[in-house]
Amino acid sequence: MDTKRLDLNLLVTLETLLVEQNVTKAAARLNLSQPAVSAQLNRLRHEFDDPLLIPAQRGMTPTAKAMELLEPLRQALDQVRATVISHRNFDPAEAKLTVSIACTDYLQAAVVKPLVVELRMRAPGVRVALRNLDLTQLDAQMVRGDVDLALMTPQAASPSLRTRHLFNERYVLIGRRKHPRLREGITVEEFAGMDQVIVSLDGGGFVTPVDSALADLGHRRNAVLSAASFLFVPEIVSYSDFVALVPERLVRDRADKLMVIDCPFPVEGFAVGMVWHERCHGHGGQRWIREAIVSLMAHT
């Protein structure tokens, strides 16, 4: 049997015929004409190389092969029906689902951390698999199903992918509490003279768009450490006299160790959104996860 050519509707017809054992009754149950069901039965006989149902005095009698098929066929179709229903009417309290999310370490802390806590309360059967965000591979990963959802700047997404805005992020200046030089209202010159940690996601760089903005104001900052991860920055700043510009949501719960103030000059922020492939768009569970993230970000 060539399963690639097998029509799922034929299996539904076979199940109904085996239960009703009558073409007329099966046609009524399927809301089809009797000739249409008879034609489907002929196709099934060809596919299974078996009569399947033999005319009897009253209705039809299943063959031995047909009787062997009935239970596994019913189980398979029940599983398909349950899958369709679960995707249409997703019940987070009962669902079993794994969602693969690609994002930077900053968004793991700002979005995924509160999401996972929320899921444990509302959807304990939903698991989250984190992947590093690789923009060069994202399209292919989503097509293959390796990544279900990406958290990123929506403008960087391929036009073929779906996007939804979550929030606008801004940069704040952080230093340890009781820092000897950090205070509200510092000047641009004072900022430029402090030992600073910067983040270079590509690794090792000491120049960012902030330096261009400073140069336009006639200043150059003293970057002494280039980190590859935002998560590392608050920790080292809290135990030193270094300062750093970081996304605000990264340090909202660090008031016990950090002083957080506005940058003394305008620094362009960035948008954060969700990106997903069309294959995930109609999936009930995936849709519920996206709405949960939107709700969570609106209240944090």
Side-chain angles (χ1 to χ4, degrees):
M1 180 187 296
D2 184 359
T3 56
K4 293 180 180 178
R5 294 174 49 247
L6 189 59
D7 186 347
L8 182 61
N9 290 323
L10 286 180
L11 299 182
V12 174
T13 297
L14 177 58
E15 178 195 33
T16 306
L17 282 167
L18 293 179
V19 171
E20 296 293 346
Q21 299 183 16
N22 183 292
V23 173
T24 302
K25 290 181 179 179
R29 183 169 164 182
L30 292 166
N31 198 27
L32 296 172
S33 67
Q34 184 174 331
V37 173
S38 295
Q40 289 186 348
L41 176 57
N42 287 331
R43 288 180 59 191
L44 286 162
R45 285 168 170 164
H46 174 75
E47 294 290 351
F48 285 98
D49 192 24
D50 187 86
L52 296 176
L53 290 153
I54 301 171
Q57 188 173 1
R58 292 185 178 181
M60 308 184 83
T61 300
T63 64
K65 176 176 283 191
M67 293 304 296
E68 290 177 358
L69 287 171
L70 179 58
E71 190 56 31
L73 177 63
R74 177 174 284 171
Q75 290 178 0
L77 290 175
D78 284 347
Q79 186 172 359
V80 171
R81 293 181 187 112
T83 300
V84 171
I85 292 172
S86 66
H87 288 178
R88 187 179 299 160
N89 303 309
F90 182 75
D91 182 359
E94 301 293 334
K96 302 293 183 184
L97 177 67
T98 298
V99 180
S100 178
I101 300 177
C103 59
T104 62
D105 58 353
Y106 147 64
L107 288 172
Q108 289 178 20
V111 180
V112 179
K113 183 172 72 172
L115 172 65
V116 172
V117 173
E118 182 82 0
L119 291 177
R120 295 313 301 158
M121 295 185 292
R122 298 178 57 194
V126 175
R127 304 186 302 177
V128 175
L130 288 176
R131 300 180 66 109
N132 290 327
L133 179 65
D134 184 347
L135 292 178
T136 64
Q137 296 295 319
L138 185 61
D139 280 38
Q141 290 173 332
M142 287 192 161
V143 169
R144 293 195 304 266
D146 296 338
V147 172
D148 299 314
L149 184 69
L151 303 172
M152 56 185 283
T153 302
Q155 291 83 350
S158 165
S160 64
L161 300 176
R162 288 180 174 265
T163 64
R164 183 167 179 178
H165 180 268
L166 285 175
F167 58 87
N168 292 319
E169 181 62 288
R170 73 184 191 112
Y171 286 98
V172 292
L173 181 59
I174 64 170
R176 68 174 176 87
R177 296 193 68 81
K178 298 183 179 180
H179 190 287
R181 299 168 61 193
L182 188 63
R183 69 184 190 283
E184 290 284 359
I186 64 168
T187 65
V188 176
E189 184 177 5
E190 288 173 324
F191 167 83
M194 294 179 179
D195 291 343
Q196 298 189 30
V197 181
I198 68 170
V199 173
S200 171
L201 297 179
D202 295 331
F206 281 89
V207 178
T208 74
V210 171
D211 296 281
S212 299
L214 268 177
D216 291 340
L217 297 173
H219 295 281
R220 180 178 180 181
R221 63 176 170 171
N222 184 32
V224 297
L225 174 62
S226 174
S229 165
F230 271 116
L231 296 188
F232 168 73
V233 177
E235 192 68 20
I236 191 168
V237 164
S238 67
Y239 288 103
S240 69
D241 286 341
F242 297 155
V243 298
L245 286 171
V246 298
E248 184 178 23
R249 286 177 182 251
L250 185 65
V251 292
R252 278 186 174 176
D253 58 353
R254 306 277 187 111
D256 58 327
K257 291 186 177 181
L258 296 173
M259 182 183 302
V260 180
I261 66 173
D262 290 336
C263 184
F265 61 97
V267 175
E268 185 177 1
F270 56 96
V272 173
M274 298 183 294
V275 177
W276 66 96
H277 192 270
E278 190 67 34
R279 70 174 184 81
C280 291
H281 184 63
H283 187 286
Q286 299 282 352
R287 185 169 58 248
W288 186 89
I289 292 292
R290 294 194 297 268
E291 292 302 324
I293 294 174
V294 170
S295 177
L296 197 61
M297 292 300 100
H299 295 91
T300 56

